[in-house]
Amino acid sequence: MYVLVGDNNTIEKFPFTVQELRRRHKNVSFPAPIPEETLNSFGVYSVVPMSRPSYDLLTSKVITGAVYNGEVWEQSYRIIDLGEDQVKENVAARAANELAETQNDAMTYLEQNLTVPEDLVNFRNYMREIESQDGYPYSLSWPTKPS
């Protein structure tokens, strides 16, 4: 993973690839692999990968960047809270997905004239009524999907 850096260590493009460097400099015959010193002479620097922070995919998004720590370029992460409308969309999509994933299980019981297990019924009801659950939409206690 690379970053293309301009004057005063300003980031021109991140992430940046060796293929992009080759396309930008079609008249340059680069060796394979390109030595780090050569990359640096074109303003391209390796970025040290860092651990991705944990965050709630339903309520937040992460923006990946690069930051110069005075010695090397490091990958950076910024977690941004999503707006309420987006959170509601994400929650609805997850609930719909959970319902779709358990649809065949419920149908199998019904087709065999068997009683659908209570934990499956409760799980599916929770998903159907997601908007009326305590903590909606930010602090839901998602039930465990029955196995």
Side-chain angles (χ1 to χ4, degrees), residues 2 18 22 30-36 38-39:
Y2 298 97
V18 170
R22 289 181 189 279
F30 291 105
I34 304 174
E36 198 71 26
T38 303
L39 290 170

Side-chain angles (χ1 to χ4, degrees), residues 99-118:
L99 281 169
E101 288 181 2
T102 57
Q103 177 73 28
N104 286 341
D105 297 337
M107 292 304 295
T108 299
Y109 286 102
L110 295 173
E111 288 169 354
Q112 296 175 7
N113 292 322
L114 298 172
T115 302
V116 178
E118 188 175 347

